Amino acid sequence: RGIDVPPECVVLGAGTEVLVAALVSLIGRERLFAVEDPGYSRVRRVLVTSGARIAPTPLSGGAIDVRALYVSGAGAAYVTPSHQFPTGEEMSAEQRTALLRWAKETGGYILEDDYDSEFCFSGSPAASLTAMDEGGHVIYMNTFSRTLAPGLRLSFMVLPPPLAAQYRTMH
């Protein structure tokens, strides 16, 4: 996916939900977490159960509406850019650039759930937000459930180096 990452920035977990719960405590329960609306309801439940406040944020052109992110005051955004759940839309290059600009301008974090990126039916997959990120604002998440075995429940996240150091201190 074009991500150059040192091994100490990779964290394994027993499913995406476990990693999302860890992220809430890592980047702060006081942050408002924007979630795609419609979006992945299990992640919404995990965020709320973990003590986070969520802001259901509408889609625009098949991806999270970045203008609505600015208005919401969110400090983090959970997105599925390669294959938006449940619509199946792919976030355009312009939308990816706008989302990264939002994160840079607000100091927010993007939780990029790239759960389905391995399955590209035509052409090459778009660059991940993490590969495009120059400011350490994107947390990349993916799973081995689709490529190895659904029952395995093994996922991973790639943290920006400062968050990785903070995570290692907490765990």
Side-chain angles (χ1 to χ4, degrees):
R1 301 287 294 131
I3 303 169
D4 184 20
V5 57
E8 60 271 9
C9 291
V10 178
V11 176
L12 296 176
T16 300
E17 292 86 0
V18 170
L19 296 176
V20 168
L23 283 173
V24 171
S25 57
L26 181 63
I27 64 176
R29 286 177 178 78
E30 70 282 351
R31 283 185 191 264
L32 181 62
F33 286 75
V35 292
E36 298 165 322
D37 188 24
Y40 188 36
S41 62
R42 289 175 76 178
V43 165
R44 285 182 187 205
R45 282 194 302 272
V46 170
L47 287 167
V48 171
T49 302
S50 300
R53 297 175 300 125
I54 64 167
T57 306
L59 304 180
S60 175
I64 197 163
D65 186 342
V66 176
R67 289 178 305 222
L69 277 178
Y70 281 103
V71 172
S72 74
Y78 171 84
V79 296
T80 52
S82 293
H83 189 219
Q84 199 280 331
F85 184 85
T87 68
E89 301 262 351
E90 183 176 321
M91 188 180 284
S92 71
E94 295 81 19
Q95 291 167 318
R96 290 169 191 258
T97 300
L99 185 58
L100 288 166
R101 187 178 322 111
W102 165 82
K104 181 178 180 181
E105 290 176 359
T106 65
Y109 286 105
I110 300 168
L111 285 59
E112 177 182 18
D113 189 345
D114 211 18
Y115 74 96
D116 215 11
S117 64
E118 296 86 8
F119 301 105
C120 186
F121 298 110
S122 64
S124 300
S128 69
L129 289 165
T130 306
M132 299 171 64
D133 181 27
E134 296 175 354
H137 295 282
V138 181
I139 298 162
Y140 182 84
M141 294 182 290
N142 206 328
T143 180
F144 296 111
S145 293
R146 297 205 188 258
T147 54
L148 293 178
L152 192 56
R153 304 285 306 151
L154 182 61
S155 294
F156 67 95
M157 65 180 169
V158 177
L159 298 171
L163 280 181
Q166 185 180 340
Y167 180 85
R168 299 281 180 230
T169 302
M170 293 173 62
H171 291 87

